Amino acid sequence: MSKKKIVNQNESDESNRAGWFSYLKRNWLMVLIICFLTLGVLGSGLKYLEKDAMRQQQTDDGDRRAEKHQSFLNKINPFLTAPPPPPVPQLAKEYLYAGSRLLAVEDANASAASPADLAVWRPGTGTWWVLGGQGSQQVNFHWGAHGDEPVPGDYDGDGKTDFSIFRPSENTWWIFKSSDNTYFAIPYGTTGDKTAQADYDGDGKTDLAVFRASNRTWYILQSANNQSVQQQFGLSTDTPVPADYDGDGRADIGVWRNSETTFYSLNSSNNQFAAVTFGASGDKPVSADYDGDGRADYALFRDSTATWFMRNSSNGQIQTIQWGMAGDKLVQNDYDGDGKVDIAVWRNSNGNWYIRKTGTGGALRQEAWGMSQDIPVPAFYRR
């Protein structure tokens, strides 16, 4: 009995299918019209959703601050992109008092720069004299001895320059850390080396480095991993001028070749070689970021005419400015905190600083700080 029921059921299903096929054949025109209308309605709906998304986007762009009600259509519209997250408020700068000191606290994304302090190192006594600006104070600190060479840099990465010297008689670096008031000494280099400290690995700390003229090789002790690397670059008569010429946050190996009046540098970002020729024999290299674009500019000072020549990395143009006088010591740095290095000289005869401030249209700042035979060492000490 059950087998008979199954056979009857199969025959019924086949009969139903045959009936549907027969119906579709008889009414094919009506079926075609229904399919056409269905596709038309679906296409119109999608087109409307697309136009609605465009209108909604234009409304949002015109009024980002408006609080809008999200309709059901907005929720299902496939053409409407998700709204951007609300912007996170950014702190530009805030001043806080810590005892008698005024501290500037800035957001990590802020572009404001800190002005450099005026400072000198006195070889006769091995004393550092710092004229602190806003948020700092005057400091004198004994570190070093006659015959030493000041090598200021931020070796501990706390954002403040450390009192530090290189002792050629021992080929040793002596560094007093501002972060914890401790010191360390590292033998690095050999007799005749030229010091060339800078942040070559981009970790925010100054790396010990020397240029050895005898074999035309740079030796760099990377603070990031305490590994010593070497790179042959330049000639024995070249002057080392390391700086961040490609703007990647790491100092590039660079030299000034007086005989060819040419700067040569090796970009740390892509290992590409660069050569820039201008100036005249006898000019002194003063590379720094004068145009504030985050890249060091090749620059020269001509002592005979007290003229500065700066090749702006932002546009390749050479800017010429007369500032100072023959015999002045060159102390370019950012003294007004506008992110651009200011042209400046220190005059040994009277201990005066003459600073051309870019932040105020080239206005003169003149300060008496130091005495004859001092070595100017401006930097961001902030004690």
Side-chain angles (χ1 to χ4, degrees):
M1 180 67 69
S2 60
K3 291 183 179 180
K4 184 175 181 180
K5 287 183 179 179
I6 293 174
V7 170
N8 291 338
Q9 181 66 38
N10 290 339
E11 291 177 351
S12 176
D13 291 343
E14 291 177 0
S15 176
N16 289 336
R17 284 196 294 270
W20 272 107
F21 287 137
S22 177
Y23 177 81
L24 291 175
K25 287 178 65 177
R26 290 195 308 271
N27 301 279
W28 64 269
L29 182 60
M30 183 176 65
V31 171
L32 183 63
I33 293 174
I34 291 174
C35 291
F36 179 79
L37 291 176
T38 302
L39 291 175
V41 171
L42 180 62
S44 298
L46 291 174
K47 189 67 175 178
Y48 175 80
L49 288 175
E50 183 181 14
K51 290 183 177 180
D52 181 71
M54 293 176 63
R55 287 193 299 269
Q56 183 69 26
Q57 187 66 41
Q58 291 174 353
T59 302
D60 290 345
D61 291 341
D63 188 6
R64 289 287 185 192
R65 296 171 299 177
E67 184 75 22
K68 300 189 185 315
H69 174 70
Q70 189 178 30
S71 65
F72 174 75
L73 191 62
N74 295 149
K75 295 179 182 178
I76 66 171
N77 193 338
F79 298 100
L80 190 62
T81 58
V88 178
Q90 300 293 336
L91 173 67
K93 180 183 289 188
E94 182 178 1
Y95 290 96
L96 302 174
Y97 280 97
S100 60
R101 298 179 62 188
L102 183 64
L103 306 179
V105 180
E106 297 181 9
D107 180 74
N109 298 321
S111 60
S114 303
D117 297 321
L118 309 187
V120 296
W121 183 72
R122 193 155 295 162
T125 61
T127 304
W128 299 69
W129 297 84
V130 179
L131 176 63
Q134 184 182 23
S136 188
Q137 57 187 337
Q138 295 183 17
V139 172
N140 64 84
F141 187 78
H142 181 76
W143 191 253
H146 185 72
D148 292 344
E149 174 189 344
V151 284
D154 183 9
Y155 296 93
D156 55 6
D158 67 345
K160 296 186 288 187
T161 302
D162 304 310
F163 299 121
S164 42
I165 56 96
F166 173 72
R167 187 158 293 165
S169 61
E170 303 171 355
N171 298 312
T172 301
W173 302 65
W174 293 81
I175 298 166
F176 188 87
K177 298 191 297 180
S178 58
S179 57
D180 58 9
N181 293 329
T182 63
Y183 73 90
F184 63 93
I186 300 180
Y188 198 75
T190 189
T191 302
D193 287 350
K194 298 178 181 178
T195 56
Q197 71 276 8
D199 182 9
Y200 294 93
D201 53 16
D203 68 344
K205 300 179 182 180
T206 300
D207 305 315
L208 278 62
V210 296
F211 171 67
R212 189 162 299 162
S214 60
N215 61 3
R216 310 182 307 282
T217 302
W218 294 67
Y219 297 88
I220 301 169
L221 183 60
Q222 296 179 325
S223 56
N225 54 20
N226 205 34
Q227 298 296 309
S228 183
V229 298
Q230 49 187 279
Q231 172 74 51
Q232 195 170 63
F233 191 84
L235 299 179
S236 60
T237 55
D238 290 345
T239 301
V241 286
D244 185 9
Y245 295 102
D246 56 7
D248 68 343
R250 295 177 290 171
D252 306 312
I253 291 174
V255 297
W256 159 250
R257 189 162 300 165
N258 184 67
S259 60
E260 301 174 8
T261 65
T262 302
F263 284 96
Y264 296 98
S265 60
L266 187 64
N267 291 341
S268 57
S269 59
N270 54 17
N271 209 35
Q272 294 295 308
F273 174 79
V276 176
T277 301
F278 70 106
S281 179
D283 290 348
K284 300 175 182 177
V286 284
S287 296
D289 185 10
Y290 295 95
D291 55 9
D293 68 344
R295 295 176 291 171
D297 308 311
Y298 302 105
L300 296 163
F301 175 77
R302 188 165 299 163
D303 195 73
S304 59
T305 59
T307 305
W308 298 67
F309 301 89
M310 288 122 357
R311 183 185 181 276
N312 292 337
S313 55
S314 56
N315 56 22
Q317 300 298 310
I318 296 179
Q319 185 181 11
T320 303
I321 297 175
Q322 282 192 311
W323 192 261
M325 60 184 295
D328 285 347
K329 294 185 178 181
L330 312 175
V331 290
Q332 66 278 0
N333 214 314
D334 182 8
Y335 295 97
D336 52 16
D338 67 344
K340 300 179 182 179
V341 169
D342 305 311
I343 292 172
V345 297
W346 182 79
R347 193 156 296 162
N348 182 71
S349 60
N350 58 12
N352 277 354
W353 298 67
Y354 300 91
I355 301 168
R356 184 182 185 271
K357 298 189 294 182
T358 56
T360 53
L364 167 67
R365 175 189 173 188
Q366 182 176 347
E367 295 275 2
W369 190 253
M371 57 186 294
S372 179
Q373 305 309 314
D374 284 350
I375 298 176
V377 284
F380 184 65
Y381 295 92
R382 287 299 187 271
R383 295 299 191 272

